[in-house]
Amino acid sequence: MVILKFGGSSVGSVDRINRVIQILDQYYIKKKRNFSVVFSAFQGVTDNLIEIGNSAFDRKNNYKEEFNRLYQKHIDTAKGLNPNKNVALIEKLNYLFTELEEILHGVYLVKELTARTLDYILSFGERCSNTIISETLLNRNIACDYLDASTLIKTNNEFGNARVDFLTTNKNIKGYFKKKKNPQIITGFIGSTINNEITTLGRGGSDYTASIFGAALNVSAIEIWTDVDGILTADPRKVKNAFPLKSVSYEEAMELSHFGAKVIYPPTMLPALQKKIKIIIKNTFNPTFSGTEISNSSLNDQFTIKGISSIDDISIIRVQGGGMIGVTGIASRLFGVLAKNRINIILISQASSEHSICLAVLPAFGAKAKKVIEEEFRLEMIDKKIGSVIVDENLSIIAVVGENMRHTFGIAGKVFQALGKNKININAIAQGSSELNISLVISKHDLTKALNVIHKNLLQTKRR
Ligand code: ADP
Ligand code: ASP
Ligand code: MG
């Protein structure tokens, strides 16, 4: 069996959904291959739902117009796909949208939008898209069942970014599939708590859903169908010459996606890696192209590095002072206080003089990080052992990734040389001990130029 996943970009319109059905027919149904499919919400719908929820919360009356537009979009898609047979489907959609309207009205009345309610609101995106697609397949005499994955994927109650309870989830999935013969049309992105409250798995989480099902069912492959030819050497919107990679290792895919390559959601690699199931990234708009295979081995190609990715907006927190030199426990208190306040650290760098520690966080956490660190080190600051905490903004991180960097000298040198020659200043550098990734902090203003010069120097000129 194969688990397929089509993202929002593949299901943005009637034409696109017809194209997906054609792919299913040609490559799976006609070939009698056993498959099930995870679908995301239609393109842009999750963002729409967040906006509508916030508008209702802010008591903006136009939330009703936005809601109606979303409703109409789904009805038009349902009718466009099923011009002659849509009564039952429209009824199902009306039922879902009535429920959504009631929840939004509640948010409007009580002026409260908790993370739990927002997850519930967001679940309508995937529930609606999968309802439309499964009914359309049935209307075209393709056997299938609609599967609300929140009934099987059990999570904790970290709404918005819930952690999966794999023991229960795997048991649920295996038990459910034993009883089913038809291909399942599976809602991506959603799970539920032990009390059956809907949760979401993080933005981009439908990829993860595919991997959770794939690993539980021990499938032969997990195919992620999207709108590009695979994992490219860089974000194609920023680097025109980016090209698709034939194969990358799970670790490389994790590093590239963790540092911004949106093509696959980072946690997706973990369940697949544990079961050694390959993940193949394919292009819905170019299905004959082989795409990228993610597996244990990373085929050696002509370049030393695999790719470059970036987190476009970060802030750097700098803690410095003579009182930090040779004193044990400073780093542990620093990381401890950030963890306690749920501030995620993206990158850490410390000069060997121990005079300063530098941390990258998302800009939204910059001011809070400064405040909690200054509280933690209040006494050291009074004694002037530590200076005031500095927050530098408008910065980006670039990550240069590749397994081969481990065995090759001079890669960092080449990267710095390329940037230096182009007068791009580096604010901080970090390299993981795995040597799989070199991360650089630069000014946001230089980001596109920096990505392009590194790409040109390390991915367009062959290794000697
Ligand atoms: P889907 O809707 O299928 O989940 P996403 O929009 O989440 O698709 O991810 C695909 C997009 O990721 C591509 O359109 C591309 O613009 C972007 N992207 C960013 N970095 C990369 C990369 N290194 N390789 C491929 N795509 C990338
Ligand atoms: N619809 C969800 C999102 O936009 C999940 C996904 O697309 O993978 O984040
Ligand atoms: Mg995605």
Side-chain angles (χ1 to χ4, degrees), residues 5-9 39-47 50 122 125-126 188-190 200 202-209 262 265:
K5 176 260 171 177
F6 289 86
S9 57
F39 285 102
S40 298
F42 295 157
Q43 192 161 38
V45 167
T46 306
D47 289 335
I50 293 174
L122 296 191
E126 269 67 13
F189 188 43
I190 58 176
T200 60
R203 292 303 306 270
S206 296
D207 298 334
Y208 194 27
T209 304
K262 193 190 169 205
Y265 181 51

Side-chain angles (χ1 to χ4, degrees), residues 16 19 53 63 85-86 121 158 161 189 273 285 329 436:
R16 289 184 175 200
R19 184 187 283 270
Y63 92 82
K85 195 177 173 193
N86 55 42
I121 292 174
E158 256 182 76
N161 200 12
F189 188 43
L273 180 155
F285 307 95
L436 192 73

